[in-house]
C-alpha cells in the first residue's frame, strides 16, 4: 500500500466517522472531551481527586457512550472510566446546537417558517 493509498483510506475513514457522528449526536445530551478522546454520552460523572502529594487529577465515568475513534471497531461503549491529570471538558448539548440555520450560515437568525 502506497502512502497515497494510506492517506486516501484514512480520509475515507474519517469521513465515515464524521457521518456516523452526525447520525448519532442527537441521541446524546453531553459531549466529553479528554486529552485522548471525544465522547458523546447521556450520563457523565466528573470527580476531582487529590493525590497524597497534593496533585489534582480527574476521574470521569460515563455509561452508554459513543467514542470518536476511527481505529476502534465498535464505537458504542457500555461503561467508560477515564483518569487524567489533564483538562476535561464537559458540555451539555442543546437541541438548538444541532439545528442547521435556514441559510446554512452559523450564527444566522432563524427565518420565517413557510
Amino acid at each position: 500500500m502506497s502512502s497515497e493509498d494510506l492517506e486516501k483510506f484514512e480520509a475515507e475513514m474519517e469521513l465515515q466517522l464524521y457521518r456516523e457522528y452526525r447520525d448519532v449526536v442527537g441521541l446524546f445530551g453531553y459531549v466529553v472531551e479528554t486529552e485522548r478522546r471525544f465522547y458523546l454520552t447521556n450520563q457523565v460523572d466528573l470527580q476531582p481527586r487529590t493525590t497524597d502529594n497534593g496533585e489534582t487529577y480527574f476521574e470521569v465515568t460515563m455509561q452508554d457512550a459513543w467514542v470518536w475513534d476511527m481505529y476502534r471497531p465498535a464505537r458504542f461503549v457500555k461503561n467508560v472510566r477515564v483518569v487524567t491529570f489533564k483538562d476535561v471538558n464537559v458540555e451539555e448539548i442543546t437541541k438548538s446546537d444541532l439545528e442547521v440555520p435556514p441559510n446554512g450560515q452559523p450564527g444566522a437568525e432563524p427565518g420565517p417558517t413557510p
Side-chain angles (χ1 to χ4, degrees), residues 9 11-12 14-15 19 32 34 48 50 63 67 71 81 84 104:
F9 172 77
E12 288 173 5
E14 194 158 343
L15 180 58
R19 288 178 178 151
V32 179
T34 68
T50 307
Q63 282 76 40
V67 184
Y71 298 108
R81 180 174 176 254
T84 181

Side-chain angles (χ1 to χ4, degrees), residues 3-36:
S3 62
E4 186 177 303
D5 290 338
L6 182 58
E7 286 179 24
K8 183 178 179 183
F9 172 77
E10 287 182 343
E12 288 173 5
M13 289 291 292
E14 194 158 343
L15 180 58
Q16 180 181 354
L17 181 61
Y18 169 76
R19 288 178 178 151
E20 183 178 328
Y21 164 81
R22 184 188 61 201
D23 292 343
V24 301
V25 69
L27 303 173
F28 296 97
Y30 296 94
V31 171
V32 179
E33 188 176 3
T34 68
E35 68 181 288
R36 299 192 61 207

